[in-house]
Amino acid sequence: MDEALLRSLTPSVLAILVRRGADFAAAEDAVQDALVEAVRVWPADPPRDPKGWLITVAWRRFLDATRADAARRRREDLVEEEPAPGPAPAVDDTLQLYFLCAHPSLTPSSAVALTLRAVGGLTTRQIAQAYLVPEATMAQRISRAKRTVSGVRFDQPGDVATVLRVLYLVFNEGYSGDVDLAVEAIRLTRRLAEAIDHPEVAGLLALMLLHHARRAARTAPDGSLVPLAEQDRGRWDTESIAEGVGILQAALARDRLGEFQAQAAIAALHADAPTAEETDWVQIVEWYDELARLTDSPVVRLNRAVAVGEADGPRAGLAALAELDDSLPRHTAVAAYLHERDGDLATAARLYAEAARKAPDLAERDHLTRQAARLNARRRRP
């Protein structure tokens, strides 16, 4: 069973059902039923046209559910619109579905959460981590969003800002390695940039390209994380970096600064440095100041504290960190790094171990555990 094929076809099938009149919640249930049936049937009898098969089965499941609901008997008329046999049209509906899910009846945060779950394929846990909220809270938010759009016709697509937020979070989840969605997010953002002349679309595309250019160097052969300062810059994709910088420069020239352009500018400064020691941290702090002004995000201020520690010394970084809530994810790891830079190895080792216990994934936990072990070994040396 080709799970990647099923995942890639799901958004398009869902979009087709919605366009044919199915409300979002019912369409999503029907598509999930079709996927379960595909897992059962395809290994023994693979279809010649997988997309057409999924559309037909999902549509029939939707109609079956509609007939069973007496309050929605009027939908029985839609049976005449059942897709005709034969190959399905080769149309990519994913980007359109992103816009449809960003419906005006939803708040931006609910629209993002719903799209990540229904279209991006992320779990409720992954979405909750991206939003820095408990999983139960995010589950309730997604359920409310489904109820809100249930029965709503998607003829009023949402705005670009919400779609960009979804694409950004999907890329970040894919880039982390937990779910490989980064390439798909870049592809969709390219399509959006071709269709819409918007500086923040360009900023997001530049940001994705600059981050993705470093992907090959982010992990060692054994799968362990490699910090940015220790990465082999010879493994960075110079073509992607050049493309990202060119797109960013054109966007910045329009003098309509947004958060994605600011983030891309920071990534470009890292990419431009031949070595970690030559990084222009002073300019990076200035861009973080702009980004904090635009977003007022605690995560931005946490990253700024690291940059301040590099530009002005670890004591200055710790002072900036002290202004933030210590319950912020990765706060402890940043504190450990700055204390190590300040020479307090005992405190740094303790904080690295504490941060490892809080790490959101196995790779990060192992990295932080190794950092703690490294410092403890240094302290034991005569």
Side-chain angles (χ1 to χ4, degrees):
M1 171 56 59
D2 191 342
E3 295 183 3
L5 175 62
L6 284 176
R7 187 167 60 246
S8 68
L9 291 175
T10 298
S12 185
V13 175
L14 182 56
I16 289 171
L17 263 65
V18 170
R19 286 206 306 270
R20 290 182 175 274
D23 67 67
F24 190 90
E28 185 184 26
D29 290 342
V31 171
Q32 292 301 318
D33 287 345
L35 293 175
V36 171
E37 185 69 6
V39 170
R40 186 182 70 82
V41 172
W42 285 11
D45 185 20
R48 289 191 297 272
D49 177 19
K51 182 178 177 181
W53 189 98
L54 284 171
I55 292 170
T56 299
V57 173
W59 185 254
R60 288 174 177 167
R61 293 300 169 90
F62 164 69
L63 292 177
D64 289 344
T66 299
R67 294 189 189 100
D69 188 346
R72 299 179 183 176
R73 288 179 182 174
R74 65 185 183 280
R75 295 188 182 272
E76 291 183 355
D77 295 337
L78 297 176
V79 71
E80 297 177 1
E81 298 180 19
E82 181 176 336
V91 177
D92 185 350
D93 299 290
T94 307
L95 189 57
Q96 180 188 21
L97 193 58
Y98 272 69
F99 273 96
L100 294 177
C101 286
H103 196 270
S105 64
L106 296 173
T107 64
S109 61
S110 294
V112 171
L114 178 62
T115 313
L116 289 172
R117 185 71 183 90
V119 188
L122 275 64
T123 66
T124 302
R125 175 184 59 81
Q126 291 164 336
I127 301 169
Q129 288 176 350
Y131 269 93
L132 309 179
V133 300
E135 183 175 350
T137 300
M138 183 53 64
Q140 293 175 355
R141 184 179 300 177
I142 293 173
S143 295
R144 286 196 301 269
K146 288 182 179 180
R147 289 195 299 270
T148 299
V149 300
S150 180
V152 172
R153 292 299 297 267
F154 287 79
D155 54 359
Q156 293 179 278
D159 65 356
V160 175
T162 301
V163 174
L164 289 180
R165 178 63 51 189
V166 174
L167 289 169
Y168 174 66
L169 291 175
V170 170
F171 175 82
N172 282 345
E173 200 60 50
Y175 192 62
S176 74
D178 195 10
V179 178
D180 190 6
L181 295 169
V183 172
E184 175 68 358
I186 292 173
R187 184 185 71 82
L188 291 172
T189 306
R190 281 190 188 279
R191 288 194 57 201
L192 189 58
E194 293 167 0
I196 299 175
D197 183 20
H198 192 296
E200 271 295 81
V201 176
L204 179 58
L205 179 57
L207 176 63
M208 289 179 174
L209 291 170
L210 289 164
H211 277 310
H212 202 64
R214 302 199 303 258
R215 187 168 189 176
R218 290 184 72 246
T219 54
D222 63 0
S224 60
L225 293 179
V226 180
L228 177 61
E230 300 172 18
Q231 289 177 15
D232 178 0
R233 300 185 178 218
R235 299 185 65 196
W236 289 0
D237 183 347
T238 55
E239 290 186 6
S240 292
I241 290 173
E243 182 185 5
V245 169
I247 292 171
L248 172 63
Q249 289 175 340
L252 291 175
R254 301 177 65 177
D255 198 23
R256 290 170 54 194
L257 184 64
E259 62 173 296
F260 294 123
Q261 295 171 70
Q263 287 190 58
I266 293 169
L269 286 167
H270 283 297
D272 188 54
T275 65
E277 292 73 23
E278 295 173 86
T279 303
D280 189 347
W281 286 106
V282 172
Q283 194 171 351
I284 287 176
V285 171
E286 292 174 355
W287 275 111
Y288 270 121
D289 288 338
E290 287 287 344
L291 191 54
R293 179 182 61 80
L294 290 166
T295 66
D296 194 29
S297 164
V299 175
V300 168
R301 297 187 185 280
L302 182 69
N303 292 330
R304 179 186 177 277
V306 176
V308 169
E310 298 290 351
D312 301 327
R315 296 285 176 89
L318 287 167
L321 186 66
E323 298 175 3
L324 304 176
D325 187 344
D326 62 8
S327 66
L328 190 66
R330 296 188 172 88
H331 184 286
T332 307
V334 170
Y337 174 75
L338 291 171
H339 276 290
E340 180 184 356
R341 287 281 317 281
D342 196 39
D344 187 351
L345 302 189
T347 299
R350 175 179 58 79
L351 290 173
Y352 274 130
E354 181 182 340
R357 293 191 292 271
K358 301 176 182 177
D361 57 63
L362 181 61
E364 186 171 340
R365 186 189 71 189
D366 289 347
H367 170 71
L368 293 168
T369 300
R370 282 193 294 270
Q371 296 294 85
R374 174 180 58 83
L375 293 187
N376 284 325
R378 283 180 58 185
R379 292 172 55 222
R380 288 194 292 268
R381 290 176 191 154

